[in-house]
């Protein structure tokens, strides 16, 4: 069989690009750094959105929508914020056939424009906490774009909250980190993320504390999957988000922001992909079971259709592939590329024995299964492989994480994966030195 | 009681703005013409999205995402398209700290950038039809913005499809018009839309036929709620969307596009709103039943909570308001403004008689109802009021539609509402004349 993908060991970045192209997940847009998310990729994003959105609502936040365009002057109100984002801004200077009196920036994130609204909506301690979220596109101009990982435009959710006290803000940033993000990443994406803090040098521009969730990719690197920031009173001061307390004093609020983006699609590919393509964890998968008519024959199509219906009735997300005019081998390769967790292959020979073949994407296992037992076998496989993907990723991470005692050892060992080293052996000077060796630090 | 809203008969546009502000649906953004959609307004949009998205998927279209930024050169490839949209474009000239070699436009619609992708993805008749949809923000600079109705940035879905034949494209544009849009507007929004064609003068820039759904607003005007366009082979030629036919010839595809937007929120307000605020049709409503603790008292909170749970278990979208520290009158006025279809008021006096009061937003009717019967009464009210809102809007539209025979009569009668006049009495010259009198024509 012809090689479909560059093997990971041969050229990992090339393998990543191959998966995205061959599984038809996405491609580059015409403007440099932008991307087109194709239906197969977007369906994964929609499932991520659905799972996250219900967790965000359970955490009490309400969805809203704020403008794409932000007055340039807003960004400059918080000094570190503008410094952090200036190099990445896209600026609209002409609109409606005229030059604009004041240029507007395309949002790189929405702390400022949401801060302006919060200031209007908050006046009393009774208005707090104010818990908002939006699903939106944002723009950060990228010089070295890479689909899903670093793109000039990406899709994300950004939560923005205001609280009466620092303790409340801190607790909420952690609640989102653990109950929304970590729970989703561990239990749906099957990715054993490590939860940590960013160092002062890598913190969000304008924030006081950045909490991060990091995954280990298949080449032993760290990928940031999401962040939750405490913003102190910085934005509350810049936008005057203040409230009268129960005691009658006027106080600035404490704010947070938190986001995850289409970058998670890159994490998904790199954590679970293998040399045959994507492996989608069952709980995420838009298509959990893919019923394939191998070729036409006595009762084959009918049996496949019945299995599709039975799986659907059992609550499995299922699709039927009866395109027998396309060679079966090609369709099977495509199903592997796209990472459907389970295939149910229905062909004349097996069916004559009363069987269909249940194929598991995770390990390639193929089990001829009596037709009457297929639904049960599929459900068991989905449960088992959700856990197995998580265990596999955890074992891989552990195998690529080294415990060391000194900074010098850490920099050397980081070439192979992750390193656990006491912060006392690093410090801010050590962090700068590690960065020079292309090693980044979480504490 | 103090007047909450400007009455419709006093100043209709002012009433519209009042509803949007007082029901906390939206407000103006800092950049002229943009809007902030607040949680109450966004929840309505989310329900619209959910109902439409399932119908779009049922029509076979798949969701994808295409870039916000479009090379300026793309728009000029279809001559009428660029002429139509040029005056409304927002242009990014600087990004990443530099002047761009080629300016990029912020999408006003995505025919061009999607056409470029379709050209790559279509090569054989087997690739057709190609049925795509995206949920996105678009920008059309507005000189006279009005929240929801005309905003410089708005949210919408835009479907884009390519077909092998003109007949297929025509049939699909009509399928979406009727099975997706009309079905949603009639059965969910309870708006008796009139389906028609736009005249050549009002057609989509670059299209060959524009089908439209129009609602009558509370002041007797027409509001376009959605459109479905046949684009002929214009975009297929401009972007070279071509395919090899079964016979082996190379042919240009036939494309369509279709969209509905946050403008529907304006239509919803203006079709069903009254002098107390919004009236949300039950099938749309994010909150169908609003259970209110009138004030604390023996078992009141417990009874209200039980009713909330019972309604939820019966499949009703329900919320509990037990903020007894806020005066009941203020909360009731707020509930009317927001248009919750049914309120269930639970207070000590009625509860002593074993009753709660079921209040219907549509006609203000209040019925003391034995607690055990509340769930049934609420469900019956939701069904009845969905239909009643539709019937009311239909009766209003009929009362404001006049049959006339000549253009002169038509222009005069149009001051009061809609006019039905034979197209033979209008024609293109007549249309121009009608436009001068601020009357627009559908055929
Ligand atoms: Zn202040
Ligand atoms: Zn061509």
């Amino acid at each position: 069989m012809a090689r479909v993908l560059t093997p990971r060991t041969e050229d990992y970045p090339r393998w990543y690009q191959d998966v995205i192209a061959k599984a038809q997940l996405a491609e580059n847009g015409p403007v440099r750094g932008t991307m087109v998310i194709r239906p197969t990729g977007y369906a994964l994003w929609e499932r991520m959105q659905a799972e996250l959105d219900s967790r965000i609502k359970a955490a009490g936040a309400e969805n809203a929508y704020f403008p794409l365009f932000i007055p340039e002057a807003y960004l400059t109100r918080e000094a570190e914020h503008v410094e952090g984002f200036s190099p990445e801004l896209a600026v609209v200077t002409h609109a409606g056939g005229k030059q604009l009196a004041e240029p507007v920036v395309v949002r790189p994130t929405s702390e400022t424009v949401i801060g302006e609204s919060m200031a209007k909506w908050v006046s009393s301690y009774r208005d707090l906490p104010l818990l908002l979220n939006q699903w939106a596109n944002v723009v950060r101009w990228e010089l070295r774009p890479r689909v899903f990982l670093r793109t000039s435009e990406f899709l994300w959710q950004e939560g923005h909250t205001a609280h009466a006290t620092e303790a409340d803000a801190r607790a909420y940033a952690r609640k989102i980190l653990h109950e929304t993000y970590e729970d989703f990443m561990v239990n749906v994406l099957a990715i054993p993320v490590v939860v940590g803090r960013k160092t002062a040098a890598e913190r969000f521009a304008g924030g006081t504390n950045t909490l991060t969730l990091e995954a280990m990719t298949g080449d032993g690197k760290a990928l940031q999957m999401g962040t939750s920031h405490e913003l102190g009173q910085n934005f509350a001061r810049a936008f005057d988000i203040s409230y009268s307390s129960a005691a009658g004093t006027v106080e600035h609020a404490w704010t947070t922001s938190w986001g995850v983006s289409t970058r998670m699609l890159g994490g998904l590919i790199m954590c679970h992909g293998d040399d045959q393509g994507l492996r989608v964890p069952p709980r995420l998968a838009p298509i959990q079971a893919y019923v394939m008519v191998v070729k036409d024959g006595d009762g084959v199509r009918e049996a496949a259709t019945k299995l599709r219906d039975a799986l659907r009735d059992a609550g499995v997300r299922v699709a039927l592939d009866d395109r027998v005019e396309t060679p079966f081998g090609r369709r099977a390769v495509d199903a592997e590329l796209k990472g459907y967790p389970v295939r149910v292959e229905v062909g004349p020979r097996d069916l004559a024995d009363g069987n269909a073949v249940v194929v598991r994407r995770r390990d390639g296992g193929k089990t001829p299964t009596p037709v009457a037992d297929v639904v049960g076998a599929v459900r068991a496989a989905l449960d088992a492989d959700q856990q197995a993907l998580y265990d596999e990723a955890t074992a891989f991470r552990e195998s690529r994480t080294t415990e060391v005692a000194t900074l010098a050892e850490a920099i050397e060992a980081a070439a192979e994966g992750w390193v656990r080293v006491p912060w006392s052996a690093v410090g801010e000077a050590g962090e700068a030195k590690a960065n020079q060796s292309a090693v980044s630090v979480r504490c």
Side-chain angles (χ1 to χ4, degrees), chain A residues 329-399:
Chain A
R330 218 173 98 191
R331 291 184 285 138
V333 166
D334 189 60
E336 298 221 306
L337 278 166
K338 290 178 174 156
Y340 306 135
V342 174
R343 300 202 301 274
V344 178
E345 301 177 352
V346 187
R349 204 178 324 163
D350 289 302
L351 195 61
D353 298 337
N355 288 338
V357 180
V358 173
V359 185
R360 291 161 72 161
R361 176 63 183 88
R362 189 188 70 81
D363 63 359
K366 297 186 186 202
T367 311
T369 305
V371 167
D373 299 344
V374 164
V375 170
V378 167
R379 295 181 62 169
L382 294 173
D383 283 348
D385 287 345
Q386 178 76 29
Q387 185 63 43
L389 282 170
Y390 182 80
D391 292 343
E392 219 180 277
T394 306
F396 177 75
R397 189 189 71 190
E398 290 311 310
S399 76

Side-chain angles (χ1 to χ4, degrees), chain A residues 394-437:
Chain A
T394 306
F396 177 75
R397 189 189 71 190
E398 290 311 310
S399 76
R400 298 289 283 265
T401 302
T402 318
E403 306 264 354
V404 300
T406 70
L407 180 63
E409 290 172 323
I411 291 174
E412 195 190 329
E416 301 300 318
W418 289 4
V419 176
R420 226 176 266 126
V421 60
W423 175 247
S424 59
V426 184
E428 292 193 7
E431 184 185 2
K433 200 168 160 197
N435 290 347
Q436 281 165 22
S437 309

Side-chain angles (χ1 to χ4, degrees), chain A residues 66-243:
Chain A
F66 294 84
L68 175 69
F69 293 146
I70 302 181
E72 212 169 32
Y74 276 30
L75 269 88
T76 60
R77 284 200 216 163
E78 213 294 329
E80 287 183 19
H81 191 65
V82 70
E83 196 187 322
F85 283 105
S86 275
E88 303 176 354
L89 297 179
V91 185
V92 174
T93 54
H94 289 73
K98 288 187 188 160
Q99 176 146 12
L100 294 176
E102 192 199 5
V104 301
V105 303
V106 182
R107 62 178 164 222
T109 180
S110 303
E111 278 74 10
T112 61
V113 69
I114 294 180
E116 179 79 3
S117 283
M118 285 182 161
K120 277 189 249 178
W121 300 341
V122 172
S123 58
S124 151
Y125 68 95
R126 287 188 207 86
D127 302 322
L128 297 174
L130 177 58
L131 310 174
L132 299 171
N133 178 62
Q134 78 172 355
W135 291 94
N137 54 344
V138 289
V139 169
R140 299 175 186 179
W141 211 254
E142 268 297 342
L143 297 179
R144 296 171 301 128
R146 236 178 127 195
V147 171
F148 294 137
L149 300 178
R150 287 189 306 268
T151 48
S152 292
E153 178 191 9
F154 57 86
L155 305 182
W156 77 345
Q157 64 65 223
E158 50 178 319
H160 296 268
T161 68
H163 305 263
T165 68
E166 181 172 23
D168 288 355
R170 173 160 297 172
Y172 199 79
R174 275 166 180 69
K175 178 185 175 77
I176 291 293
L177 187 77
H178 293 291
E179 294 175 20
T180 298
Y181 294 161
E182 189 181 12
D183 181 72
F184 166 71
M185 291 174 195
V186 166
N187 294 314
V188 180
L189 298 186
I191 296 178
V193 285
V194 167
V195 177
R197 281 180 69 186
K198 289 211 167 193
T199 62
E202 299 215 344
R203 196 184 276 163
F204 179 76
T208 58
N209 186 24
T210 287
L211 304 165
T212 174
L213 303 110
E214 310 260 340
M216 181 181 277
T217 59
D219 59 347
K221 301 219 166 89
L223 182 75
Q224 177 186 301
M225 295 283 285
T227 46
S228 183
H229 313 291
E230 292 175 55
L231 305 175
Q233 293 181 308
N234 293 345
F235 288 89
R237 271 192 291 265
F239 289 88
D240 202 21
I241 309 168
S242 57
Y243 69 94

Side-chain angles (χ1 to χ4, degrees), chain A residues 242-283:
Chain A
S242 57
Y243 69 94
S244 53
S245 71
T249 59
V250 175
E251 310 284 348
H252 282 131
W254 297 79
T255 68
T256 81
S257 68
W258 28 279
V260 292
S261 75
T262 39
R263 162 180 270 217
M264 288 189 296
L265 289 162
L268 181 76
I269 296 167
M270 294 201 293
C271 286
H272 296 311
D274 67 14
D275 287 349
Q276 280 68 55
L278 195 55
R279 296 187 300 171
V280 183
R283 267 188 224 141

